[in-house]
Amino acid sequence: MNTNNIPTQSATTLIKASIAATLFAIVVLVIVILPAEYNIDPTGIGKILNLTSIAEASEITPVKEASPAEQTVSERTDTVDIEIPAHKGLEYKLLMEKHAHLEYAWTTDGEELYFDFHGEPRGDTTGYFESFAITTSNNMKGSLTTPFAGSHGWYWKNETDAPVIVTLSIKGSYVLKP
Amino acid sequence: MKPSSSSFIRLLLVILGLTASFALLAHGVDEDTRQFLMVHQGTSIIPFMYIGAKHMIAGYDHLLFLVGVIFFLFNTRDILIYVSLFTLGHSITLLYGVLGGINVNPYLIDAIIGFSIVYKGFDNLGGFKRLLGYQPNTKVAVMVFGLFHGFGLATKIQEFDLPTDGLITNILAFNIGVEIGQFIALGLILIGISFWRRYPGYLHFSTATNTLLMSSGLMLIGFQLSGYFISQN
């Protein structure tokens, strides 16, 4: 069976159905969808229904945490503020070659965070990672010579009810992982 | 309702019961999913399966098309054949699109997906029979539109610039997830439609339902094309 056994509607019904479908689609598009999605509101009804505020809210683009001008593996320094949302964990990773050197220091505004400073070998598919430090602290300072090429970085977990800002200063040969 | 389709639905209900608990556990992970895809490296099968399944269940465009496809399919065998053709179609282009690095504009592809819904709605009204004197091969149509839906799925996963580590495994996992999601969604649709089919209202309202389907497809086209023109400016 390469066709479906379906009732064939009369030409009048078909025309009526097509026109009704098109009209309904246009009305919903113009009054609801376009105002809410794109802030296009030719009738002004979207504004009355407060739908345009949805589009306006999404036009504010979130600020990226780190936007380095260049991503090369030469020696560089960065200072970034990383916001760990309340009751959430966040990873911040650097891509580094083997035996690359990194100096780092991070501090919070006082709150203590559980963290895991670790590295994952490049190309590893088993989920293996090596932890360099796991503890709870509000700051840490040190240096790392990577044991293998891959992504190295921190996982912070914020168990408090408010977001915590981690200020991280790093110096070394790395590429910030987007 | 035929006994074969009722046993099929019973099987689906059992599977739905098993999967529903997982869906509940993972409720509200949207931002986490995004975060995961951004920082993720290497292979992870289950998360990608989950993301695929979730996309399909939440993907009303794929679901509307499926509603159109199975609207006049009354036995399990036909449903399986048509859904398999759709699956084959979208799996080919999903894998080809991501692995071949094919970049299709997501707005245009989503507009075509919208068109597939309009097409199926019109087809279900017997529109092509009336207009052309014959109904175009419905199996070919479902397969061809499956190809377009696959490109649509590919653009969704390509948004995230996936690392090449374990890409093939991750995409296969995503694809399997999509099929699981489709299976669950199809189960829900079939349960609803099977109950509805017991009443004479089903055929009575089939014109209205398929008109509404066409209308939804047109809305999607308008929505996506507007997005396309805005993004070009």
Side-chain angles (χ1 to χ4, degrees), chain A residues 3-103:
Chain A
T3 52
N4 303 146
N5 190 17
I6 54 169
T8 307
Q9 305 294 335
S10 72
T12 329
T13 311
L14 268 178
I15 292 166
K16 270 189 201 160
S18 301
I19 291 173
T22 311
L23 285 180
F24 186 60
I26 290 172
V27 168
V28 176
L29 263 174
V30 171
I31 292 179
V32 179
I33 299 176
L34 294 183
E37 298 288 342
Y38 302 123
N39 204 4
I40 302 173
D41 191 18
T43 59
I45 297 176
K47 184 131 195 98
I48 296 166
L49 298 175
N50 211 14
L51 285 168
T52 48
S53 59
I54 301 174
E56 280 158 12
S58 64
E59 274 164 18
I60 306 160
T61 36
V63 185
K64 263 199 125 185
E65 282 148 3
S67 52
E70 49 175 11
Q71 296 269 3
T72 53
V73 196
S74 58
E75 179 96 353
R76 55 183 285 180
T77 42
D78 286 281
T79 299
V80 284
D81 284 342
I82 302 153
E83 184 181 315
I84 321 289
H87 299 292
K88 292 239 172 172
L90 202 97
E91 287 219 324
Y92 193 85
K93 289 299 192 64
L94 310 169
L95 298 177
M96 297 174 73
E97 293 304 317
K98 191 174 180 178
H99 300 319
H101 192 69
L102 176 78
E103 287 171 38

Side-chain angles (χ1 to χ4, degrees), chain B residues 13 23 56 61 82 90 93 105 107 115 148 151 193 201 230:
Chain B
L13 268 174
M56 201 65 185
D61 47 351
Y82 277 84
H90 71 227
T93 41
N105 187 297
Y107 290 114
F115 173 74
F148 285 108
F151 273 124
I193 278 189
I230 290 166

Side-chain angles (χ1 to χ4, degrees), chain A residues 1-3 6 9 21 38, chain B residues 123 125 130 135 138-139 215:
Chain A
M1 189 187 75
N2 289 325
T3 52
I6 54 169
Q9 305 294 335
Y38 302 123
Chain B
D123 192 29
L125 290 172
R130 177 70 59 195
Q135 187 184 23
T138 45
K139 281 182 188 151
S215 200

Side-chain angles (χ1 to χ4, degrees), chain B residues 111-168:
Chain B
I112 296 174
I113 291 175
F115 173 74
S116 72
I117 300 165
V118 181
Y119 177 98
K120 199 59 212 174
F122 191 67
D123 192 29
N124 281 349
L125 290 172
F128 290 109
K129 235 181 223 171
R130 177 70 59 195
L131 205 67
L132 308 171
Y134 70 96
Q135 187 184 23
N137 189 314
T138 45
K139 281 182 188 151
V140 173
V142 83
M143 170 91 187
V144 169
F145 284 126
L147 293 172
F148 285 108
H149 281 251
F151 273 124
L153 293 165
T155 59
K156 300 296 174 302
I157 196 87
Q158 279 171 328
E159 275 175 27
F160 295 105
D161 276 336
L162 294 185
T164 43
D165 284 356
L167 180 68
I168 296 180

Side-chain angles (χ1 to χ4, degrees), chain B residues 3-22:
Chain B
S4 62
S5 68
S6 76
S7 66
F8 179 61
I9 286 164
R10 222 170 288 143
L11 172 73
L12 276 173
L13 268 174
V14 172
I15 295 164
L16 282 172
L18 291 173
T19 45
S21 53
F22 293 112

